[in-house]
Amino acid sequence: MSRSAYNHVRRAGAVMAGVTAAALATGATEAASAAGGPAPPVNITSGVIFACFSNTTKALSETTKAKGCKTGFTELSWNAKGPQGARGATGPQGAKGATGPQGPAGPQGAKGAQGATGPQGAAGPPGAIADFTSDRSLITPVGTSTVLASVTPASAGEFNVTATEAIGRSSGPAHWSCDVVRHTSVGSNVSPFPAGFVRTAAGFADAAGTGPVFASPASPIQLICTASTTSLQADNADLTATRVSSLNGAAVTGKPAHPRIFNHFKPRLSLPAARHARSQTHH
């Protein structure tokens, strides 16, 4: 290496050393300024620092780009803020914080629009028919004032009542009569109407009767029969009561019309005398 080249390297090293010292001095001066000390020895314009480096004393002095440096000084400049470094690695996730307190309830929202009407459901099963009631008995001995059938209405009212019965014995004469009555709460039988009067030489005969009866839950309607001869038996007996307001097939409000009234059994006739007795039956 020649002597001139060697001197050039030394000057460059001195300049860099001066730059480093200036930078350190600038940092110290800025710290002093923040603490209330003198102003920094350099001027920062547009993010670039300008300074003059004395070639003899190796000292730095502030300057500006427009002002420049005198003879015997080297003009230096560098960025006040270095370029942004590369992004560091993501740190580990911190621990989960405690749950915060619940916030206050928000205001009530506006009422929504009414929805469309849904389809109509299937019809339910028919309800009980309170205007029609019946009772039936089978194979019942008949004596004095024997109750063969009894119905109790759900509510008080006028009823149209139909009674049918088949009574007799296998041999010997059979004499008997029946009535439909209202049995009161004190044990009396009132408002009777005939439901059959039969005299036969032998065998069974049937009879029937229809009439109006006022009845209530405390006063049921009864079919009462009395035998004039011994050992009589009722093979069948029916009693049907229909409220007058639902006659002729008209339905009471909220209730279906009553069923058609009919006898539940076929007459049992064993002898011509019994058939004659049937023709004598009161209706």
Side-chain angles (χ1 to χ4, degrees):
M1 177 183 294
S2 65
R3 185 175 182 81
S4 60
Y6 174 75
N7 291 335
H8 178 72
V9 171
R10 288 188 62 192
R11 285 196 299 270
V15 171
M16 293 306 297
V19 171
T20 303
L24 294 175
T26 300
T29 305
E30 288 179 350
S33 176
V42 293
N43 184 25
I44 302 176
T45 303
S46 301
V48 179
I49 300 173
F50 296 94
C52 293
F53 177 72
S54 174
N55 296 330
T56 57
T57 64
K58 313 303 182 183
L60 287 174
S61 60
E62 67 172 316
T63 187
T64 64
K65 182 177 181 180
K67 185 176 178 180
C69 297
K70 297 178 181 179
T71 303
F73 288 83
T74 300
E75 184 178 339
L76 303 175
S77 65
W78 63 89
N79 292 330
K81 183 178 180 181
Q84 183 176 355
R87 183 175 181 178
T90 304
Q93 183 176 356
K96 183 179 179 181
T99 303
Q102 182 175 354
Q108 183 174 356
K111 183 178 180 180
Q114 182 175 356
T117 303
Q120 183 175 358
I129 303 175
D131 294 85
F132 172 84
T133 182
S134 63
D135 185 33
R136 184 185 187 190
S137 63
L138 299 172
I139 317 301
T140 303
V142 179
T144 302
S145 299
T146 302
V147 178
L148 294 183
S150 177
V151 295
T152 303
S155 60
E158 193 77 23
F159 290 84
N160 183 69
V161 183
T162 298
T164 56
E165 68 276 350
I167 301 175
R169 60 179 180 174
S170 57
S171 61
H175 300 167
W176 49 271
S177 63
C178 296
D179 292 299
V180 173
V181 302
R182 173 167 66 92
H183 187 74
T184 66
S185 57
V186 296
S188 302
N189 295 327
V190 298
S191 304
F193 68 83
F197 178 81
V198 176
R199 290 181 180 274
T200 178
F204 285 78
D206 65 296
T210 298
V213 176
F214 180 85
S216 68
S219 298
I221 303 170
Q222 293 181 345
L223 171 63
I224 298 179
C225 297
T226 297
S228 300
T229 53
T230 60
S231 303
L232 294 189
Q233 176 179 286
D235 273 8
N236 299 278
D238 287 287
L239 184 64
T240 301
T242 305
R243 191 181 295 272
V244 173
S245 57
S246 64
L247 290 179
N248 301 321
V252 178
T253 302
K255 304 168 185 175
H258 69 82
R260 173 177 168 269
I261 299 174
F262 60 93
N263 291 347
H264 295 284
F265 63 92
K266 294 180 180 179
R268 173 179 171 180
L269 301 176
S270 57
L271 296 174
R275 285 194 290 271
H276 173 71
R278 181 182 181 188
S279 66
Q280 301 298 320
T281 299
H282 294 275
H283 294 278

